[in-house]
Amino acid sequence: MGLAVGSTMPDFRLRDQNGNWFDSKDHIGQRPIVLFFYPKDFTPGCTAEVCSFRDHFEDFTDAGAMVVGISSDSQRSHRYFARRHRLPFVLLSDPKKLVRRKFKVSNRFMSLLPGRETFVIDKTGCVVLSFEALQASGHVKHALKIIKKIQENESLSPEV
């Protein structure tokens, strides 16, 4: 299991599918982040997972959240994958698995497959959900439930 709920999101900097830098520090304080680690572009389970995030993308953005996918695939692979499946969110390339290690996402199935784990990070950079499952299903449902709770709490909090 990855980073525990209550942990602070580690700082990281990776390139996205278009070659742009994504620095985690630039997003703290802006909005909640749904960060999901998946094993590999173009595999059946991973395609189902990212397409599920795509299909619910508007639900996440309407609730004020940013969606980001990470795997060890190359920027080029991510670019083709994002185009092929019309993905509206950022895919980050972590070829050396440095960010995967920072988030403590371990391998599964006799250590042969990279882990599949979804994190929800609130605006302050605190991990409020860590959901791990080998199957692709369930990640979107759990993340969206937490994002909606965050949105409800923000709308209930008094303005400063």
Side-chain angles (χ1 to χ4, degrees), residues 12-23 35-41 68-82 89-101:
F12 66 90
R13 190 171 185 243
L14 292 173
R15 289 203 187 261
D16 69 14
Q17 69 264 35
N18 299 312
N20 300 315
W21 284 107
F22 180 97
D23 192 325
L35 189 67
F36 68 98
F37 289 86
Y38 66 100
K40 186 128 184 78
D41 292 344
V68 178
I70 299 179
S71 82
S72 60
D73 292 298
S74 69
Q75 294 169 49
R76 182 175 188 235
S77 177
H78 281 338
R79 191 168 42 256
Y80 290 126
F81 191 51
F89 47 82
V90 172
L91 295 178
L92 300 177
S93 179
D94 185 19
K96 295 181 181 176
K97 301 178 182 174
L98 299 174
V99 175
R100 181 174 285 275
R101 284 194 286 277

